[in-house]
Coordinates of all heavy atoms in Angstrom, one line a residue:
E727 N -23.1 18.4 19.5 CA -24.3 18.5 20.3 C -25.1 19.6 20.2 O -26.4 19.6 20.3 CB -23.8 18.4 21.8 CG -23.1 17.1 22.1 CD -22.8 17.0 23.6 OE1 -23.7 16.6 24.4 OE2 -21.7 17.2 24.0
N728 N -24.5 20.9 19.8 CA -25.3 22.0 19.6 C -25.8 22.2 18.1 O -26.4 23.2 17.8 CB -24.6 23.3 20.0 CG -23.2 23.5 19.3 OD1 -23.1 22.9 18.2 ND2 -22.4 24.3 19.7
H729 N -25.4 21.2 17.3 CA -25.9 21.1 15.9 C -25.3 22.3 15.0 O -25.7 22.4 13.9 CB -27.4 21.2 15.8 CG -28.1 20.0 16.3 ND1 -29.4 19.7 16.1 CD2 -27.6 19.0 17.2 CE1 -29.7 18.6 16.7 NE2 -28.6 18.1 17.4
K730 N -24.2 23.0 15.6 CA -23.7 24.1 14.8 C -22.6 23.6 13.8 O -22.3 24.3 12.9 CB -23.1 25.1 15.7 CG -24.1 25.9 16.5 CD -23.5 27.0 17.3 CE -24.6 27.8 18.0 NZ -24.0 28.9 18.9
E731 N -22.0 22.4 14.1 CA -20.9 21.9 13.3 C -21.1 20.5 12.9 O -21.7 19.7 13.6 CB -19.6 22.0 14.2 CG -18.3 21.5 13.6 CD -17.2 21.5 14.5 OE1 -17.1 20.7 15.4 OE2 -16.3 22.4 14.3
V732 N -20.7 20.2 11.7 CA -20.8 18.9 11.1 C -19.4 18.5 10.7 O -18.7 19.2 10.0 CB -21.7 18.7 9.9 CG1 -21.6 17.4 9.2 CG2 -23.2 19.0 10.3
I733 N -18.9 17.3 11.1 CA -17.6 16.7 10.8 C -18.0 15.6 9.8 O -18.7 14.7 10.0 CB -16.9 16.1 12.0 CG1 -16.8 17.2 13.1 CG2 -15.6 15.5 11.6 CD1 -15.9 18.4 12.7
L734 N -17.2 15.6 8.6 CA -17.3 14.5 7.7 C -15.9 14.0 7.6 O -14.9 14.7 7.5 CB -17.8 15.0 6.3 CG -19.2 15.6 6.2 CD1 -19.2 17.1 6.2 CD2 -19.9 15.0 5.0
V735 N -15.8 12.6 7.5 CA -14.5 12.0 7.2 C -14.7 11.2 5.9 O -15.6 10.4 5.8 CB -14.1 11.0 8.4 CG1 -12.8 10.5 8.0 CG2 -14.1 11.8 9.7
L736 N -13.8 11.5 5.0 CA -13.8 10.9 3.7 C -12.6 10.0 3.5 O -11.4 10.4 3.9 CB -13.8 11.9 2.5 CG -15.1 12.8 2.4 CD1 -15.1 13.9 3.4 CD2 -15.1 13.4 1.0
V737 N -12.7 8.8 3.1 CA -11.6 7.8 2.9 C -11.5 7.5 1.4 O -12.4 6.8 0.9 CB -11.8 6.6 3.7 CG1 -10.6 5.6 3.6 CG2 -12.1 6.9 5.2
N738 N -10.6 8.1 0.7 CA -10.4 8.0 -0.7 C -9.3 7.0 -0.9 O -8.1 7.3 -0.9 CB -10.1 9.3 -1.4 CG -9.9 9.1 -2.9 OD1 -10.2 8.1 -3.4 ND2 -9.5 10.1 -3.6
S739 N -9.6 5.7 -1.1 CA -8.6 4.7 -1.3 C -8.2 4.5 -2.8 O -7.3 3.7 -3.1 CB -9.2 3.3 -0.8 OG -9.4 3.3 0.6
G740 N -8.9 5.3 -3.7 CA -8.6 5.2 -5.1 C -7.4 5.8 -5.5 O -6.7 6.5 -4.7
I741 N -7.0 5.7 -6.8 CA -5.8 6.2 -7.3 C -6.0 7.6 -8.0 O -5.0 8.1 -8.6 CB -5.1 5.2 -8.3 CG1 -6.1 4.9 -9.4 CG2 -4.7 3.9 -7.6 CD1 -5.5 4.1 -10.5
K742 N -7.2 8.1 -7.9 CA -7.5 9.4 -8.5 C -8.0 10.4 -7.5 O -8.7 10.0 -6.5 CB -8.5 9.3 -9.7 CG -8.1 8.4 -10.9 CD -9.2 8.4 -11.9 CE -8.6 7.6 -13.2 NZ -9.7 7.5 -14.2
D743 N -7.7 11.7 -7.6 CA -8.3 12.7 -6.8 C -9.8 12.7 -7.0 O -10.3 12.3 -8.2 CB -7.7 14.1 -7.1 CG -6.2 14.2 -6.8 OD1 -5.6 13.2 -6.2 OD2 -5.6 15.2 -7.2
V744 N -10.5 13.2 -6.1 CA -11.9 13.3 -6.1 C -12.4 14.7 -5.8 O -12.0 15.2 -4.7 CB -12.7 12.2 -5.2 CG1 -14.2 12.6 -5.3 CG2 -12.4 10.9 -5.7
K745 N -13.1 15.4 -6.6 CA -13.6 16.7 -6.3 C -15.0 16.5 -5.7 O -15.9 15.8 -6.2 CB -13.8 17.5 -7.6 CG -14.1 19.0 -7.2 CD -14.1 19.9 -8.4 CE -14.4 21.3 -8.1 NZ -14.4 22.2 -9.3
A746 N -15.2 17.1 -4.4 CA -16.4 16.9 -3.7 C -17.0 18.3 -3.4 O -16.3 19.2 -3.0 CB -16.1 16.1 -2.4
D747 N -18.3 18.4 -3.5 CA -19.1 19.5 -3.1 C -20.0 19.2 -2.0 O -20.7 18.2 -2.1 CB -19.9 20.1 -4.4 CG -20.5 21.4 -4.1 OD1 -19.9 22.4 -4.1 OD2 -21.7 21.4 -3.7
F748 N -20.1 20.1 -1.0 CA -20.8 19.7 0.2 C -22.1 20.5 0.4 O -22.1 21.7 0.1 CB -19.9 19.8 1.4 CG -18.7 19.0 1.4 CD1 -17.6 19.4 0.9 CD2 -18.8 17.6 1.9 CE1 -16.4 18.5 0.8 CE2 -17.7 16.8 1.8 CZ -16.5 17.2 1.3
S749 N -23.1 19.9 0.8 CA -24.4 20.6 1.2 C -24.9 20.0 2.5 O -24.7 18.9 2.9 CB -25.4 20.4 0.1 OG -25.7 19.1 -0.2
D750 N -25.7 20.9 3.2 CA -26.2 20.6 4.5 C -27.8 20.6 4.3 O -28.4 21.7 4.1 CB -25.7 21.6 5.5 CG -26.1 21.3 6.9 OD1 -27.0 20.5 7.1 OD2 -25.5 22.0 7.8
D751 N -28.4 19.5 4.4 CA -29.9 19.4 4.1 C -30.2 20.0 2.8 O -31.2 20.7 2.6 CB -30.6 20.0 5.3 CG -30.7 19.1 6.5 OD1 -30.6 17.8 6.3 OD2 -30.8 19.6 7.6
G752 N -29.4 19.8 1.7 CA -29.7 20.2 0.4 C -29.2 21.6 0.1 O -29.3 22.1 -1.0
V753 N -28.7 22.3 1.1 CA -28.3 23.7 1.0 C -26.7 23.8 0.9 O -26.1 23.2 1.9 CB -28.8 24.6 2.1 CG1 -28.3 26.0 1.9 CG2 -30.3 24.6 2.1
S754 N -26.2 24.3 -0.1 CA -24.7 24.4 -0.2 C -24.1 24.9 1.1 O -24.6 25.9 1.6 CB -24.3 25.3 -1.4 OG -22.9 25.3 -1.6
S755 N -23.1 24.3 1.5 CA -22.5 24.6 2.8 C -21.0 24.9 2.7 O -20.2 24.0 2.2 CB -22.8 23.5 3.9 OG -22.3 23.9 5.1
P756 N -20.5 26.0 3.0 CA -19.1 26.3 2.9 C -18.3 25.5 3.8 O -18.7 25.2 5.0 CB -19.0 27.8 3.3 CG -20.2 28.1 4.1 CD -21.3 27.2 3.5
V757 N -17.1 25.1 3.4 CA -16.1 24.3 4.2 C -15.4 25.2 5.1 O -14.7 26.2 4.6 CB -15.2 23.5 3.3 CG1 -14.1 22.8 4.1 CG2 -16.0 22.5 2.5
T758 N -15.4 25.0 6.4 CA -14.7 25.9 7.3 C -13.4 25.2 7.9 O -12.6 25.9 8.5 CB -15.6 26.3 8.5 OG1 -16.0 25.0 9.2 CG2 -16.8 27.0 8.1
G759 N -13.1 24.0 7.6 CA -11.9 23.3 8.0 C -11.6 22.1 7.1 O -12.6 21.4 6.7
L760 N -10.4 21.9 6.8 CA -10.0 20.7 6.0 C -8.7 20.2 6.4 O -7.7 20.9 6.6 CB -9.9 21.2 4.5 CG -9.5 20.2 3.4 CD1 -10.6 19.2 3.3 CD2 -9.2 20.9 2.1
Y761 N -8.6 18.9 6.7 CA -7.4 18.3 7.3 C -7.2 17.0 6.6 O -8.0 16.1 6.5 CB -7.7 18.0 8.8 CG -8.0 19.3 9.6 CD1 -9.3 19.7 9.7 CD2 -7.0 20.0 10.2 CE1 -9.6 20.9 10.4 CE2 -7.3 21.2 10.9 CZ -8.7 21.6 10.9 OH -8.9 22.8 11.6
I762 N -5.9 16.9 6.1 CA -5.6 15.7 5.1 C -4.5 14.9 5.7 O -3.4 15.4 6.2 CB -5.2 16.4 3.8 CG1 -6.4 17.1 3.2 CG2 -4.8 15.2 2.8 CD1 -6.0 17.8 1.9
T763 N -4.7 13.6 5.7 CA -3.7 12.6 6.0 C -3.4 11.8 4.6 O -4.3 11.2 4.0 CB -4.0 11.7 7.1 OG1 -4.2 12.5 8.3 CG2 -2.9 10.6 7.3
S764 N -2.2 11.8 4.2 CA -1.8 11.2 3.0 C -0.4 10.7 3.1 O 0.3 10.9 4.2 CB -2.0 12.1 1.7 OG -1.0 13.2 1.8
N765 N 0.3 10.2 2.0 CA 1.7 9.8 2.1 C 2.5 11.1 2.4 O 3.6 11.0 3.0 CB 2.1 9.2 0.9 CG 2.5 7.7 1.0 OD1 2.7 7.3 2.2 ND2 2.5 6.9 0.0
E766 N 2.1 12.3 1.9 CA 2.9 13.4 2.1 C 2.5 14.3 3.3 O 3.2 15.1 3.8 CB 2.7 14.3 0.9 CG 3.3 13.7 -0.4 CD 2.4 12.7 -1.0 OE1 1.1 12.7 -0.8 OE2 2.9 11.7 -1.7
L767 N 1.2 14.1 3.8 CA 0.7 15.0 4.8 C 0.2 14.2 6.0 O -0.3 13.1 5.8 CB -0.5 15.8 4.3 CG -0.3 16.7 3.1 CD1 -1.6 17.3 2.6 CD2 0.8 17.8 3.3
S768 N 0.3 14.8 7.2 CA -0.1 14.1 8.4 C -1.1 15.0 9.2 O -0.7 15.8 10.1 CB 1.2 13.8 9.3 OG 2.0 12.9 8.6
L769 N -2.3 14.8 8.9 CA -3.5 15.6 9.5 C -3.1 17.1 9.3 O -3.3 17.9 10.3 CB -3.7 15.2 10.9 CG -5.1 15.5 11.5 CD1 -6.1 14.8 10.7 CD2 -5.2 15.1 12.9
E770 N -2.7 17.5 8.2 CA -2.3 18.9 7.9 C -3.6 19.7 7.6 O -4.5 19.3 6.9 CB -1.4 19.0 6.7 CG -0.1 18.2 6.9 CD 0.9 18.8 7.8 OE1 0.7 20.0 8.2 OE2 1.9 18.1 8.3

């Protein structure tokens, strides 16, 4: 609501890892949080 934070949810159903680079309105934006659910991880 205060526009300070953006949450992205990525669903990679493929069989290969994907390298992703993030930008905010075209400006490179550092990732401040990363949470993964997979066969090995549970929202880690």
Side-chain angles (χ1 to χ4, degrees):
E727 292 184 85
N728 61 14
H729 293 195
K730 290 184 178 181
E731 180 180 73
V732 173
I733 303 297
L734 297 101
V735 183
L736 292 79
V737 184
N738 180 10
S739 299
I741 59 174
K742 294 182 179 179
D743 295 352
V744 173
K745 188 175 182 181
D747 186 82
F748 298 92
S749 59
D750 188 343
D751 284 330
V753 178
S754 182
S755 183
V757 174
T758 58
L760 182 65
Y761 303 86
I762 299 175
T763 299
S764 64
N765 248 340
E766 295 77 28
L767 303 175
S768 297
L769 205 57
E770 302 287 344

